[in-house]
Amino acid sequence: MELRIFTEPQEGAGHGDLLRVARHAEATGFPAFFRSDHYMRTGTAAAHPGPSDAWVTLGALARETSRIRLGVLLSPVTFRYPGALAVTIAQVDEMSGGRVEFGIGSGWFEGEHHAIGAPFPTKGERVDRLGEQLEILTGLWGTPVGDTYSFEGKHYRIVDSPALPKPVQGPHPPIIMGGKGPKRLPRLVARYANEFNNSLWDEENTAAQFDRVRAACAEIGRDPAEITFSVAQTICVGADEATVAARAEKIGRTVEDLREKTLTGSPAEVVDKIGRWRERTGISRVYLQVLDLADLDHLDLIAAEVVPQV
């Protein structure tokens, strides 16, 4: 079981906050640091300093860290054109020395699209675009140097692209997909994904969605064991009940609510909850959603008391 750090900077964090957490996560032995890709807060936290661009952040962190893997859960297809996105990811992969992981999804938050002037198509069109973007991205990265790449789809048209630069990781950085769509999404995951993630969902629905992905793999003759199955869950751990309560209050939640729905409690409680998730869903990776980025002692406790037991 691998535990990764996952942050939500749109809720109120500047680059300095993210850099401090990423460096601390690296120093304490966590294998990866991830962030969300949002241009507007999704909760009720303070609005300042405002959102930051996910891929600009990863490029900066790539130059300020040395070992930890870096990625996004998840970049919506509505934010960027696929040809330009292929260049961005390849460049950040080079800047990191091959430590980038690419998370992509269809997007869901209509309000932030209005806030930045981006179109928000219907759900069906967003899934269409997801499929086309995945075909384009893998096609561009897989085109031999010296050749060109073209694509004609319903939403995107690529003409004689030189398909450069290439990522450091071949054939491309790991592709992480996520989402709750029951039909078309599992088929796309089976075709393109190295990892499938479900964020902030319950065990029963997550297990059912994982089964859909495994069935979609069987339909095309792919071994589902080639896909890493993961979840993202809010974490709130304390050595004693008073510390758990203080950390819950800091993020605007009650201990009772967090205990019912998230990885909350003593280290032993959280270890048991992760074990149940593994037994019920078959996950081998958990993204720990850390909401108070000023509390580095929280990361220390997780690294010392939770990681060794899972």
Side-chain angles (χ1 to χ4, degrees):
M1 178 67 69
E2 181 182 84
L3 304 184
R4 295 178 159 192
I5 298 301
F6 173 46
T7 62
E8 302 269 10
Q10 77 278 357
E11 301 306 315
H15 179 67
D17 301 308
L18 295 176
L19 176 59
R20 183 171 57 255
V21 174
R23 282 176 166 171
H24 197 77
E26 182 171 72
T28 49
F30 287 98
F33 174 89
F34 272 61
R35 60 155 291 167
S36 57
D37 191 354
H38 285 295
Y39 285 117
M40 194 170 79
R41 62 181 178 172
T42 59
T44 59
H48 299 287
S52 54
D53 184 86
W55 288 98
V56 171
T57 297
L58 293 188
L61 293 179
R63 307 305 301 163
E64 299 287 349
T65 57
S66 60
R67 177 194 58 79
I68 200 163
R69 295 189 68 79
L70 303 166
V72 172
L73 289 180
L74 300 160
S75 284
V77 295
T78 46
F79 284 177
R80 302 169 185 92
Y81 290 112
L85 181 58
V87 172
T88 297
I89 296 166
Q91 185 175 10
V92 177
D93 199 39
E94 178 191 9
M95 295 166 72
S96 70
R99 292 183 285 126
V100 161
E101 303 193 10
F102 170 51
I104 186 170
S106 60
W108 61 270
F109 186 17
E110 184 174 0
E112 70 182 331
H113 289 75
H114 298 323
I116 64 171
F120 187 71
T122 64
K123 182 177 181 180
E125 181 178 328
R126 298 198 308 276
V127 176
D128 288 342
R129 288 178 179 270
L130 177 62
E132 288 192 16
Q133 285 210 14
L134 286 162
E135 183 170 348
I136 291 167
L137 290 163
T138 55
L140 288 167
W141 291 329
T143 298
V145 175
D147 290 352
T148 60
Y149 175 81
S150 296
F151 173 86
E152 188 74 43
K154 182 178 180 180
H155 302 287
Y156 304 104
R157 182 170 182 256
I158 307 288
V159 181
D160 295 333
S161 170
L164 294 171
K166 301 299 184 189
V168 171
Q169 300 174 86
H172 51 69
I175 295 174
I176 304 170
M177 296 177 64
K180 300 174 174 62
K183 297 180 180 179
R184 298 171 62 195
L185 179 64
R187 292 196 291 269
L188 289 175
V189 173
R191 181 177 175 185
Y192 292 107
N194 302 102
E195 178 178 342
F196 183 62
N197 175 270
N198 254 325
S199 295
L200 311 178
W201 217 11
D202 62 82
E203 294 174 33
E204 182 178 356
N205 283 304
T206 297
Q209 185 71 331
F210 286 176
D211 286 342
R212 294 183 193 105
V213 170
R214 294 184 180 104
C217 287
E219 288 177 3
I220 63 171
R222 183 181 182 186
D223 184 353
E226 295 176 2
I227 297 177
T228 297
F229 289 89
S230 66
V231 296
Q233 286 285 301
T234 305
I235 188 162
C236 182
V237 187
D240 52 55
E241 196 63 22
T243 305
V244 174
R247 287 190 166 128
E249 183 179 9
K250 187 70 175 180
I251 62 175
R253 303 280 293 274
T254 66
V255 173
E256 294 74 21
D257 180 55
L258 287 170
R259 255 204 176 94
E260 179 183 354
K261 300 176 182 177
T262 74
L263 302 177
T264 292
S266 68
E269 284 181 86
V270 169
V271 168
D272 286 344
K273 289 179 180 180
I274 292 173
R276 290 197 296 272
W277 269 99
R278 176 163 46 194
E279 291 174 4
R280 181 70 180 87
T281 66
I283 57 169
S284 58
R285 182 174 290 159
V286 180
Y287 293 81
L288 305 176
Q289 186 197 50
V290 178
L291 295 177
D292 182 4
L293 300 187
D295 187 1
L296 298 183
D297 290 342
H298 196 193
L299 271 63
D300 291 338
L301 179 64
I302 297 166
E305 302 293 337
V306 177
V307 172
Q309 298 187 66
V310 298

